[in-house]
Amino acid sequence: MNENEKSPKARGGAVQSIERAFALLETMADAGGTMGLSQLAAASGLPLPTIHRLVRTLVDLGYVRQEANRQYVLGPKLIRLGESSSRMLSTWARPHLTRLVDEIGESANLAMLDGDQIVYVAHTESRQSMRMFTEVGRRVSPHCTAVGKAILADMDPAQVRDILRRTDMVPYTPTTITSRDDYLGQLEQVRERRYATDEGEQEEGVRCVAVAVANYAPRLAMSISGPTGRMSDELIERAVPLLTEAGKQLAADLA
C-alpha cells in the first residue's frame, strides 16, 4: 500500500481522536470539572486504555491536570480558550440583543453554563433612565436566575440533579428558591411553557424572563430583565416569542 492509500485512514484516526478528546473535556465540564478515569470510561463508553491515553495527552498539553487524589480536573490552559470564545459569543450575540432592546425596551443578556455556574457573556443595556446592568463575566448560581432555570430545564434530569447536589442554594432574597425539590418542580413548569422567570430571586425589585438557545453547545440562554414595575405579565408574554426567535437566529449564526 502506498502513502496516498494510507493517508485517508490516518486522517480518519486523527479526527476520531480529536472528537474523543473534546468529548472527554465536555463530559468533565458537565460533571463539574473533576472526574476519575473509571468515571470517564463509564460516562463515555470508551475502553479504559483509550481513556488513559487521551487523558495523558490532555495532561501533557495542559488542558487537564491530575490531582494528588488521582482525580483529573480541567486545566488552566482552557481558560484562555474560554475567554476568547466568550468574546466571540459576545460579538455574535450583540446584534440580536440590540434588536431585543429596540423591540422590548428592557436590557437583554446572553448567558451560558460553565461547569456548575452561569456566566454572563453578553449584555445590551436598555435606553431607559432606570435600567438593569449585568456585568459581562459575572458568575452566578443557576438556582436564582431565569437564565439558569432555562438552561437546566433543557438538560437531562440526572445532570441537573448532579449540578444541584454541588450547588449552594443561597437565599439572596426572600423569594429565592432554596429547596432542591421546589426547584426541580419549577423546572418542570419551565419545560412545559418553554420559558423561565426570575421573580426577584437574585435581586429584589428585578424581574427577568429567559429562553434557552436550543440545539447548541455550550448551553446558552437569552433573557430580558428590568424593574418589576415595568416587567409586567403582558411584557413577558410579548418578550417570549421574540427571545425564542432571537435564540434561533443566534444558533444559526453560530452553526
Side-chain angles (χ1 to χ4, degrees):
M1 184 179 288
N2 62 36
E3 191 63 32
N4 289 334
E5 290 173 324
K6 290 180 181 177
S7 59
K9 283 189 178 180
R11 285 198 298 271
V15 168
Q16 185 183 61
S17 295
I18 292 170
E19 289 176 347
R20 287 176 169 177
F22 276 99
L24 292 181
L25 292 173
E26 290 176 0
T27 299
M28 292 179 70
D30 289 340
T34 302
M35 292 184 82
L37 286 180
S38 59
Q39 292 173 303
L40 280 168
S44 66
L46 294 173
L48 199 56
T50 301
I51 296 286
H52 187 265
R53 185 177 69 252
L54 291 169
V55 169
R56 287 311 311 170
T57 301
L58 291 169
V59 169
D60 291 342
L61 292 172
Y63 294 111
V64 171
R65 186 176 64 200
Q66 187 175 24
E67 300 288 83
N69 61 3
R70 302 187 67 79
Q71 293 280 100
Y72 290 91
V73 300
L74 296 177
K77 201 168 180 182
L78 287 168
I79 295 172
R80 182 163 58 94
L81 298 182
E83 288 175 345
S84 297
S85 177
S86 294
R87 285 195 296 270
M88 292 308 299
L89 270 177
S90 178
T91 299
W92 287 321
R94 193 170 297 121
H96 302 291
L97 298 181
T98 299
R99 276 196 297 274
L100 287 170
V101 171
D102 290 342
E103 292 171 323
I104 300 172
E106 300 294 344
S107 299
N109 311 285
L110 178 71
M112 75 175 190
L113 181 67
D114 182 21
D116 294 341
Q117 291 187 305
I118 297 296
V119 58
Y120 289 94
V121 294
H123 171 79
T124 299
E125 284 186 57
S126 163
R127 296 172 185 84
Q128 307 262 15
S129 57
M130 181 182 176
R131 56 187 180 270
M132 301 300 102
F133 176 76
T134 301
E135 183 182 0
V136 172
R138 182 186 180 193
R139 291 177 174 274
V140 294
S141 172
H143 78 286
C144 60
T145 59
V147 284
K149 295 175 191 175
I151 289 172
L152 266 60
D154 216 31
M155 293 173 60
D156 180 88
Q159 284 183 299
V160 173
R161 285 191 290 271
D162 286 342
I163 290 173
L164 293 181
R165 274 195 289 268
R166 297 187 295 264
T167 300
D168 254 346
M169 300 187 77
V170 176
Y172 292 102
T173 74
T175 58
T176 305
I177 301 172
T178 56
S179 161
R180 287 176 176 80
D181 288 340
D182 290 346
Y183 187 80
L184 290 170
Q186 187 157 125
L187 292 188
E188 284 296 330
Q189 296 177 16
V190 174
R191 290 186 189 100
E192 290 174 8
R193 65 189 186 186
R194 305 308 302 167
Y195 71 89
T197 59
D198 159 12
E199 306 291 348
E201 296 158 49
Q202 185 184 24
E203 185 177 347
E204 288 191 73
V206 177
R207 197 179 190 198
C208 184
V209 57
V211 170
V213 177
N215 304 318
Y216 187 75
R219 297 186 179 276
L220 304 169
M222 280 185 167
S223 69
I224 292 292
S225 59
T228 302
R230 293 204 306 257
M231 291 288 291
S232 64
D233 291 345
E234 291 75 18
L235 185 144
I236 286 178
E237 186 176 342
R238 184 163 58 89
V240 169
L242 295 174
L243 281 165
T244 302
E245 182 58 29
K248 289 178 180 176
Q249 292 176 4
L250 176 60
D253 288 350
L254 296 174

